[in-house]
Amino acid sequence: MDNPDNPLSGWWDDEVHTPLVRWCEREIREWLADRAAGKRERRYCAIVVPRLVGKTTIITKGLMLWLHLQNPNLATVLGNETRDMAASFLTAIKGWIYGADRYSLFPWLFGNWGYGAKDWTRYSLTHTCRSASRSEASFGIFSIGSGITGRHVDVLCADDLVSYEGLEKDLDLFETAWSTLSAITPVVENNGIIFLIGTRYGEGDPHGRAFSQDGIFSVAGMVEDDEYITKPDGLWHLYFLSGRKKDGTPAIPTVWSEKEMSVWEKRD
């Protein structure tokens, strides 16, 4: 992130990204502790942030790989609206662990997990650090219309199951995305963890359906927002970051300035 030679560096903002990362780490460490104690219960984590905040790089790619440093024998699946985009998540992780990304420090810090990998295809990866024998790959993918039937994974990360582009092509995308998420959740181990990440597009989108049907257990980030109300029997642990603060000023001016916010509010 800080390498001046890296053309993709310079996007990190401590005020925006550090609280998000700390929240994710806390949720994961609590889940790992529950798992180690033998608790048979899935953990549900939802992240709602505006576009261009870096959620895919931080969570879907970086955090999911970091999880394998905690337990290299995990089976993780990464999902998106399209299969090609889901495959691109895996491509980035491969570049980091193998050293194909010249700016990645992963091989220097933890060894090369790609050299001699047991499975290395466009859609799946079993890295060399896995020590347990299991049929599920270390990393796999899914998308709307292509599930993970027959596999029992520990971690499921659904990143942007809907998009503006997709909604232009499919008016039923909200329903299709929610059906996909509902259908694949049972293949997650009963002590696994589920991440639902994305931007809100409407009341019927996957986040809206999850919160209205399952309920919200806790909220972090912009906790003063009145839209997301917690309840004792809620299911989802939510991190919420709006484009604007409650006083109306931009919440992420380094990404969404007042001028840009105004343009897109008029278009939307």
Side-chain angles (χ1 to χ4, degrees), residues 73-150:
N73 294 313
L74 290 174
T76 299
V77 288
L78 313 175
N80 182 262
E81 175 190 344
T82 69
R83 193 163 179 81
D84 284 344
M85 184 61 74
S88 76
F89 301 158
L90 190 57
T91 297
I93 291 175
K94 287 177 179 177
W96 291 348
I97 69 173
Y98 191 65
D101 183 337
R102 63 180 295 185
Y103 304 106
S104 170
L105 296 179
F106 190 95
W108 293 91
L109 296 171
F110 309 111
N112 191 317
W113 286 19
Y115 185 75
K118 304 173 182 69
D119 179 22
W120 191 276
T121 71
R122 188 183 180 208
Y123 301 128
S124 62
L125 158 68
T126 299
H127 52 66
T128 56
C129 203
R130 173 179 280 186
S131 58
S133 297
R134 58 185 303 180
S135 58
E136 298 84 4
S138 299
F139 289 96
I141 69 168
F142 72 93
S143 63
I144 293 179
S146 71
I148 49 175
T149 306

Side-chain angles (χ1 to χ4, degrees), residues 36 53 87 96 100 114 117 123 140 146 155 219 235 241 264 267:
V53 170
W96 291 348
Y123 301 128
S146 71
V155 184
V219 179
L235 190 65
L241 182 60
W264 284 100
R267 291 187 181 185

Side-chain angles (χ1 to χ4, degrees), residues 16-200:
V16 173
H17 298 115
T18 297
L20 171 59
V21 170
R22 294 301 183 203
W23 177 84
C24 288
E25 182 180 6
R26 184 174 68 251
E27 291 294 326
I28 285 176
R29 291 203 183 280
E30 289 181 4
W31 168 66
L32 289 172
D34 287 344
R35 213 169 191 241
K39 192 173 183 180
R40 312 298 294 183
E41 186 175 303
R42 296 185 183 100
R43 193 173 191 90
Y44 294 80
C45 298
I47 293 96
V48 174
V49 294
R51 277 185 160 189
L52 301 179
V53 170
K55 57 184 170 49
T56 298
T57 300
I58 294 173
I59 303 168
T60 309
K61 300 172 186 176
L63 188 73
M64 294 302 108
L65 179 55
W66 177 81
L67 253 172
H68 282 242
L69 291 173
Q70 316 310 309
N71 181 356
N73 294 313
L74 290 174
T76 299
V77 288
L78 313 175
N80 182 262
E81 175 190 344
T82 69
R83 193 163 179 81
D84 284 344
M85 184 61 74
S88 76
F89 301 158
L90 190 57
T91 297
I93 291 175
K94 287 177 179 177
W96 291 348
I97 69 173
Y98 191 65
D101 183 337
R102 63 180 295 185
Y103 304 106
S104 170
L105 296 179
F106 190 95
W108 293 91
L109 296 171
F110 309 111
N112 191 317
W113 286 19
Y115 185 75
K118 304 173 182 69
D119 179 22
W120 191 276
T121 71
R122 188 183 180 208
Y123 301 128
S124 62
L125 158 68
T126 299
H127 52 66
T128 56
C129 203
R130 173 179 280 186
S131 58
S133 297
R134 58 185 303 180
S135 58
E136 298 84 4
S138 299
F139 289 96
I141 69 168
F142 72 93
S143 63
I144 293 179
S146 71
I148 49 175
T149 306
R151 299 177 182 176
H152 297 283
V153 300
D154 306 294
V155 184
L156 185 148
C157 182
D159 184 339
D160 274 336
L161 293 180
V162 298
S163 66
Y164 281 128
E165 297 82 359
L167 289 169
E168 290 176 352
K169 301 174 185 176
D170 182 3
L171 294 178
D172 296 322
L173 185 57
F174 282 174
E175 183 63 36
T176 306
W178 176 247
S179 298
T180 298
L181 184 65
S182 299
I184 63 177
T185 297
V187 306
V188 179
E189 297 283 4
N190 60 8
N191 61 351
I193 189 168
I194 296 164
F195 286 87
L196 178 59
I197 309 167
T199 299
R200 293 301 309 275

